[in-house]
Amino acid sequence: GQALVEQLAEMALAAIADIRVDHHPLLAVSASIGICMLPHPQLLGVDAMLRLADSLMYQAKKSGKNCFRISTMQQADDSLAA
């Protein structure tokens, strides 16, 4: 369920944050992740799912980066209206 997805997202963010680039010790790597949970009754196709996941990723970026956002019914409604 959603708790497992959140745990996996946290693990992915931590693994990405641990990345080190040779010869650039001060370079920090982070990620912003948008997650569309499936099945989602309001998302009827791949395009709608990708639009929602993309929108969630940008919401995560706007929240300060290095975080994730998971779909809700309201976000699906907003995505379908766009």
Side-chain angles (χ1 to χ4, degrees):
Q2 184 165 332
L4 178 58
V5 171
E6 289 176 8
Q7 182 180 14
L8 291 172
E10 291 287 352
M11 290 170 58
L13 291 173
I16 291 167
D18 284 343
I19 293 172
R20 298 293 174 251
V21 179
D22 290 340
H23 310 293
H24 299 282
L26 300 179
L27 183 64
V29 180
S30 67
S32 299
I33 303 171
I35 302 167
C36 179
M37 298 284 290
L38 297 175
H40 203 298
Q42 292 178 301
L43 300 178
L44 302 177
V46 173
D47 288 338
M49 288 180 265
L50 290 175
R51 252 193 337 271
L52 178 56
D54 192 53
S55 172
L56 291 163
M57 179 198 60
Y58 282 106
Q59 288 176 28
K61 284 181 179 286
K62 289 179 185 177
S63 296
K65 302 181 182 177
N66 200 41
C67 61
F68 61 92
R69 294 292 176 262
I70 298 177
S71 61
T72 66
M73 294 300 272
Q74 181 62 46
Q75 288 161 328
D77 289 342
D78 294 346
S79 177
L80 290 173

